[in-house]
Amino acid sequence: MIKIVGVRFRDKGKTYHFDPADLDLKIGDAVVVETERGVGYAMVSSIPRFIQQFPSGRKLKKVLKKASEEDATAMQNNKEREAEALRYCHEKIKDRELPMKLVDVEYSQDGSKITFYFTADNRIDFRELVKDIAGKYRTRIEMRQIGVRDEARMINGYGQCGRQLCCASFLREFEPVSIKMAKEQSMVLNPAKISGICGRLMCCIAYEAGNGESCKRAPRAKTEGITAETKEIISDAPLSAEERTQVMQKTEQTTQMPSEPKEAVRSESKPMEQVKETAGLGAQQQTEKPSQPQAQKPASFREKKRRRRHRKKHR
C-alpha cells in the first residue's frame, strides 16, 4: 500500500501527488514539497489516502514539512515580485513587437527560477526577450507556451450558464470533446452557443456523452399500475383491493388486442359469383356515364396571331 496526498502549486493549477510520510495534513494546509527543480510551496487539495499502486509506477517525491510563517512570508514576497516581473515582461514584449500574449508569471519558492506562461499561434523566437529579463533579475528564466484552455483556467471567469468555469473550479484534467458528442445530444450546432470563452467546445458537453442511447432504450412503465394510480387520484379516494383488481383486468383487456380467427374471416367473405356480378355492374355503370367534355386550354399568343391573319385573308 502507498500513501499519497494531492497538492497544487497554484490556485487553479493541476493536482500533483506526493508522499506525505507521517504528517497529519488537511485540505487547505500549506506545505513545502520536494520537486525535481528544488523546493516548492504548495497547498493540500486532497486528503491523504492509501492506494495499491501509483499508475505511472514512478517513485513519489516527499512532503518535507508544513509551511511555517517564514515560508508564508517568502511566498507573499514572491507574489509581489511576480506582479513586477509581469509588468516588465509586458513592456519588453511590446518593445520587441513579439506576436505573443503573456498570461502569468510564477516564482519558485527559493527564487532560483522565474516561469513565464504565454500563448501564441506559432513558434516564437524569444531569445532576445529572455536575455533582457535575465539581465534584470539575474536568475534562471523559463518561457512556457500553454494552450487556450490552460489560459482560461488561469484567468478564470464565468460561462454561459452563469457559473464559474469548470476548468477553474473543479476540473483537474481536460478530456477531449468532439462535435459528435453535441450531435448525439441534439444540440444546436452553432459555434457561439457550444463554445466556451476559450473558443473551444465547452467541457460540459462531455458530461452527458454516451447517455443518449441508454435513454432511448429505457423500458416503458407498465400501464396497469399507472391506470390504477390515476383512477385513485381522480376520485380523491383510495381504491379497494377488488376495485384495483377490476381496473387492472380492464387495462389488460384494452392493451391486448384479440386476434380474429381465420374461419370467421372466411365465413364473412362473399362467394366468387357474387363478386363477379358486382364487378360487372360497376363496370357497366361506369360505361353508361356520359363523358364530360374536356376543358379547352387557353389559346397561346401564336395561335391568336394565326387566327387574326386567317380572318384578314378571307374578308
Side-chain angles (χ1 to χ4, degrees):
M1 299 291 286
I2 303 175
K3 189 177 182 181
I4 63 171
V5 64
V7 302
R8 286 189 292 180
F9 293 94
R10 304 186 66 81
D11 294 338
K12 308 298 185 300
K14 183 180 177 182
T15 299
Y16 297 90
H17 294 93
F18 288 82
D19 180 10
D22 297 332
L23 297 175
D24 184 16
L25 302 176
K26 297 180 294 185
I27 296 177
D29 289 347
V31 292
V32 178
V33 297
E34 177 187 1
T35 65
E36 296 178 355
R37 298 174 182 177
V39 178
Y41 183 91
M43 302 290 290
V44 177
S45 60
S46 64
I47 58 175
R49 60 190 185 277
F50 289 93
I51 61 174
Q52 291 289 343
Q53 185 179 0
F54 200 69
S56 63
R58 64 180 178 83
K59 187 177 180 180
L60 296 176
K61 299 288 185 180
K62 293 185 178 181
V63 178
L64 300 178
K65 62 176 182 176
K66 284 188 176 181
S68 60
E69 294 183 359
E70 296 179 356
D71 296 325
T73 303
M75 188 65 185
Q76 186 64 30
N77 294 335
N78 286 342
K79 287 185 177 180
E80 296 176 358
R81 297 165 67 184
E82 286 173 1
E84 181 184 357
L86 186 67
R87 290 192 297 268
Y88 180 79
C89 188
H90 267 303
E91 294 176 359
K92 292 300 179 181
I93 291 174
K94 188 176 180 180
D95 294 342
R96 295 190 176 276
E97 298 180 355
L98 295 176
M100 56 187 293
K101 179 183 178 183
L102 187 64
V103 178
D104 203 359
V105 179
E106 179 182 2
Y107 255 88
S108 61
Q109 177 69 10
D110 54 1
S112 61
K113 187 185 70 171
I114 309 175
T115 305
F116 293 86
Y117 299 92
F118 71 95
T119 60
D121 297 334
N122 302 313
R123 293 178 61 88
I124 305 297
D125 184 7
F126 45 74
R127 289 175 293 182
E128 298 298 328
L129 177 65
V130 171
K131 290 180 181 180
D132 295 339
I133 300 173
K136 178 177 176 61
Y137 294 101
R138 301 292 178 180
T139 186
R140 182 183 174 187
I141 306 299
E142 180 180 354
M143 305 295 293
R144 184 175 299 178
Q145 186 172 357
I146 60 176
V148 289
R149 286 190 168 184
D150 294 301
E151 179 187 4
R153 169 185 283 178
M154 289 183 176
I155 296 176
N156 202 349
Y158 294 89
Q160 298 179 8
C161 57
R163 303 186 63 179
Q164 187 182 9
L165 296 179
C166 298
C167 58
S169 55
F170 63 90
L171 281 183
R172 299 293 174 261
E173 300 289 341
F174 289 116
E175 297 182 0
V177 184
S178 63
I179 195 68
K180 183 181 178 181
M181 297 179 181
K183 290 181 180 179
E184 291 176 352
Q185 300 174 46
S186 301
M187 299 182 67
V188 179
L189 301 181
N190 186 354
K193 294 184 178 180
I194 60 176
S195 300
I197 64 173
C198 59
R200 303 290 178 86
L201 293 175
M202 293 187 295
C203 298
C204 56
I205 296 177
Y207 300 162
E208 299 293 335
N211 293 337
E213 293 297 329
S214 59
C215 294
K216 292 179 183 178
R217 298 174 185 173
R220 292 186 177 181
K222 294 183 178 180
T223 57
E224 295 85 359
I226 295 173
T227 307
E229 292 177 1
T230 308
K231 184 75 175 177
E232 186 174 349
I233 293 170
I234 294 174
S235 60
D236 294 332
L239 295 175
S240 62
E242 296 180 357
E243 291 177 348
R244 187 179 292 275
T245 305
Q246 293 176 1
V247 171
M248 294 176 68
Q249 290 177 356
K250 290 180 180 179
T251 308
E252 290 179 358
Q253 293 175 3
T254 55
T255 53
Q256 296 178 1
M257 297 295 293
S259 58
E260 297 181 356
K262 296 182 179 180
E263 290 79 9
V265 177
R266 289 177 181 176
S267 62
E268 294 178 0
S269 60
K270 297 180 182 181
M272 186 61 67
E273 296 177 357
Q274 190 175 354
V275 173
K276 289 181 179 180
E277 290 177 4
T278 307
L281 290 173
Q284 185 178 0
Q285 290 176 2
Q286 187 175 3
T287 53
E288 289 177 358
K289 288 183 180 180
S291 59
Q292 297 180 357
Q294 297 182 356
Q296 296 181 357
K297 296 182 180 180
S300 61
F301 177 76
R302 292 183 178 180
E303 184 66 21
K304 290 179 181 180
K305 195 173 181 181
R306 189 185 63 79
R307 290 177 183 177
R308 290 197 204 98
R309 292 178 181 176
H310 184 74
R311 293 194 203 103
K312 290 181 181 179
K313 184 177 181 181
H314 292 81
R315 280 181 183 174

